Amino acid sequence: MAAKDGAKSQEDYKLKDMKPELGERWPHGGQRGGTGWIGSERAASTYDLVEQMFYLYVRVVKAKDLPPNPVTSNCDPYVEVKIGNYKGKTKHFEKRTNPEWNQVFAFSKDKVQSSTVEVFVRDKEMVTRDEYIGKVVFDMREVPTRVPPDSPLAPQWYRLEDRRGESKKRGEVMVAVWLGTQADEAFPDAWHSDASSVQGEGVQSVRSKVYVSPKLWYLRVNVIEAQDVEPSDRSQPPQAFVKVQVGNQILKTKLCPNKTTSPMWNEDLVFVAAEPFEEQFFLTVENKVTSAKDEVMGRLISPLNVFEKRLDHRAVHSKWYNLEKFGFGALEGDKRHELKFSSRIHLRVCLEGGYHVMDESTLYISDVKPTARQLWKQPIGILEVGILSAQGLSPMKTKDGKATTDPYCVAKYGQKWVRTRTIIESYNPKWNEQYTWEVHDPCTVITLGVFDNCHLGGSEKSNNGAKVDARIGKVRIRLSTLEADRIYTHSYPLLVLQTKGLKKMGEVQLAVRFTCLSLAHMIYLYGHPLLPKMHYLHPFTVNQLDSLRYQAMSIVAARLSRAEPPLRKEIVEYMLDVDSHMWSMRRSKANFFRIVSVFSGLIAMSKWLGEVCYWKNPLTTILFHVLFFILICYPELILPTTFLYMFLIGLWSFRFRPRHPPHMDTKLSWAEAASPDELDEEFDTFPTSKGQDVVKMRYDRLRSVAGRIQMVIGDIATQGERFQALLSWRDPRATCLFVIFCLFAAMILYVTPFKIVALVAGMFWMRHPKFRSKMPSAPSNFFRKLPSKADCML
């Protein structure tokens, strides 16, 4: 039974094929009452990767000449659009008889049961029931169909009718009603009947939006030297250092080794800045008075846009900047902002446009373009993604005592982020939204995540009690694994690792197509580095890259959270894998077995050669002897034979090539095999929030694992030191024996043809087991007795 359950769960975690009805099907010419469907003669639509969804659109533009209330002599009008049980309202205006709304309402045609569309104009009342002004009724059978790329339907004036359907003397409303699909340009900003329960500020958060990451720059500050900096105690020369702050980023130079009023550093400090440049460049020269006290001796404040922008590795001109002097106490309070032109600092500052500012890991990077737009190349392809739907989502929160989920999807590739609309209270949402990206390098990754919207303005409460958009799952697709011009339609499992273990949260259906614009350009890119050349001409250290990536992620999250609707910090962090560098026992095991898998081919080859040497299969050994003789006689065939063999292996493997894009592999990730304590450790905060006993136990376990790694590294170092000891005379007798052996070997090899030497060595290596001894060989014994530096270790 357990085996069956395991097999079933593994099947649930796999990619599944789909056959959705993609593309658009339209009534003939979009005419009223049309019953046929346009065939393949119609031009392909830009929405050919999603299933078509029909919507009834009602655009309420404005009204005029509305009659005032006979009691209040005012009119506070609003419009209510009603189709069956669905109602949508515009905002009301106070004391307006000619209001303008220009609002669009979208009703899902599949859920519309009514045969009429009613547009009511009402007068807002604070105490009594809203006053009826008039209405306009449309027959659903007479509503025209708009077929993109037709121009928008022109709204018309309609005379308001009373309750009996007779035209009133005063009051008209301008309305347009048409039948369209999600391809309509009115769709993203329309009020949707699916989200009719959302009120107030939550209305904005349910709409689909496209976001663009801010343009990021590296700010390089080369601190060279300072002159005539004076501490408060002028009897002691200062031990100076420089502190630079840009936004929330603070970096310091090292202490000048000499106590002097003209210190030198020549250090580079690198920051991340985003356009538009809102932060100030704030520099202070400080004196290290004691280990706990620093004294400011001067400062420099400047906007970032005054610094030079560098596009390549050319030198930037350095400049001297005057330092603003700080006052030293109450006696000099009136001189706090006095400019001391004798105190100045020598800097070389520039904004680096030749780098790509990384806000995500290079393992699944989605953008490789440099910051400066003039350095961008032409795109080599187009990526189109249809976000179709999701199935079987788990309940994520409770609303009014009922478990529910309000899902939406976010996709990120390059600088472009997209967010689908939120489907209210649905475990099987259908989005059917299509998005397009330019591709500049095929070896990049698109990331898609599904989230639960917890900001709808209601009384909902997530399962973890926090008011954050909960993660439902994530999918990554590497573009280089996709065949060009092929549509991939698959259902991807949404897998989330929690403290209780691995959980499948549902499935998301996607349609993906990668179109190649220039095959020659794409092949050209495979031979060139992934990142811009500045990353290789003037590389950053690993620690610098980690710190800069975290700062870039923080800036992107802060800027996108200011959009409307905001793309919140928890979403950006999850999409950018901000915590991927944190320690995890599960990830460590997974990476270890990945290495074992990489070397499994070499291990299998060595075992096969061992079987050949020990004559496990005499026929195979004889054939190998024949091949060995041929290669010894004709050594010029060795390389051609090797490449021909790899070519044939490649052709043979073509039959078994992967037909699906890669997806999250639970077995490779060791997600199911991880123990509860390992998962609890993985989700612990940094610094830890666990109790002393738990931390002690985990620390001891980490020491045990590190001890084994330490032993392996020590063994590798020992073998290398033994090689060095062959000629180092650390063991005089061993080195003497080796030197004499080298002399005799050189004399023999000078007079013996290489083919004979290789033949004799090969035959000795493949000798029959009858001529082998179970004892270690003499060279092996000699090597193991060589000294290493392990004796000198404390």
Side-chain angles (χ1 to χ4, degrees), residues 492-528:
Y492 293 81
L494 295 171
L495 305 174
V496 171
L497 204 58
Q498 301 174 339
T499 53
K500 297 180 181 179
L502 180 68
K503 184 178 180 181
K504 181 180 178 181
M505 308 294 286
E507 297 180 359
V508 61
Q509 283 83 39
L510 304 174
V512 182
R513 177 173 60 205
F514 172 53
T515 304
C516 178
L517 300 179
S518 172
L519 180 60
H521 191 188
M522 185 162 62
I523 294 173
Y524 167 82
L525 286 176
Y526 270 93
H528 282 70

Side-chain angles (χ1 to χ4, degrees), residues 63-269:
K64 68 178 180 180
D65 198 23
L66 296 179
N69 189 306
V71 177
T72 62
S73 300
N74 291 321
C75 183
D76 302 333
Y78 70 92
V79 172
E80 178 184 271
V81 181
K82 181 180 178 183
I83 302 179
N85 295 326
Y86 293 102
K87 295 180 182 179
K89 296 180 181 179
T90 67
K91 62 181 179 180
H92 80 278
F93 291 101
E94 294 185 1
K95 300 178 182 180
R96 292 269 191 96
T97 57
N98 298 300
E100 290 191 19
W101 295 283
N102 198 25
Q103 186 171 345
V104 180
F105 299 84
F107 299 85
S108 177
K109 193 171 183 298
D110 294 339
K111 298 180 181 179
V112 171
Q113 303 296 329
S114 176
S115 60
T116 59
V117 181
E118 297 176 292
V119 180
F120 295 92
V121 181
R122 301 185 188 275
D123 182 12
K124 183 76 173 177
E125 297 291 344
M126 300 301 294
V127 181
T128 61
R129 187 178 178 182
D130 293 349
E131 185 73 21
Y132 174 88
I133 297 178
K135 70 175 180 178
V136 178
V137 181
F138 298 90
D139 189 342
M140 290 280 287
R141 292 172 297 180
E142 297 297 319
V143 172
T145 300
R146 181 183 170 229
V147 184
D150 289 353
S151 298
L153 194 69
Q156 300 181 28
W157 286 105
Y158 293 90
R159 175 79 62 179
L160 294 177
E161 302 174 352
D162 58 18
R163 298 181 188 276
R164 293 173 297 180
E166 298 178 0
S167 296
K168 303 186 72 172
K169 293 182 179 179
R170 292 185 62 181
E172 293 181 66
V173 63
M174 180 180 280
V175 179
V177 183
W178 72 95
L179 185 67
T181 67
Q182 70 269 39
D184 202 293
E185 65 268 13
F187 179 80
D189 294 323
W191 173 95
H192 287 272
S193 59
D194 295 338
S196 57
S197 62
V198 181
Q199 302 295 333
E201 295 180 358
V203 174
Q204 286 291 334
S205 69
V206 301
R207 292 175 175 167
S208 57
K209 289 292 178 183
V210 176
Y211 305 83
V212 178
S213 294
K215 188 176 183 180
L216 300 178
W217 294 78
Y218 284 138
L219 175 69
R220 188 188 295 271
V221 182
N222 179 221
V223 183
I224 303 172
E225 60 179 325
Q227 285 185 355
D228 301 324
V229 290
E230 297 177 351
S232 57
D233 183 5
R234 301 186 181 183
S235 62
Q236 291 289 336
Q239 189 167 23
F241 68 93
V242 173
K243 182 170 73 174
V244 181
Q245 180 173 357
V246 178
N248 295 324
Q249 307 166 69
I250 300 176
L251 294 177
K252 301 177 182 178
T253 65
K254 296 177 182 177
L255 287 172
C256 180
N258 303 320
K259 290 189 175 184
T260 175
T261 57
S262 298
M264 294 189 65
W265 299 279
N266 197 23
E267 280 190 46
D268 273 359
L269 305 177

Side-chain angles (χ1 to χ4, degrees), residues 394-405:
S394 299
M396 301 301 296
K397 61 174 177 279
T398 56
K399 184 187 295 183
D400 300 326
K402 184 180 69 173
T404 184
T405 300

Side-chain angles (χ1 to χ4, degrees), residues 113 159 164 225-227 233 262 320 327 337 396 535 547 594 598 614 682 687 689 701:
Q113 303 296 329
R159 175 79 62 179
R164 293 173 297 180
E225 60 179 325
Q227 285 185 355
D233 183 5
S262 298
W320 286 95
H337 301 287
M396 301 301 296
H535 285 269
S547 174
R594 285 173 61 196
V598 167
Y614 281 89
E682 184 171 340
S689 57
R701 182 176 62 193

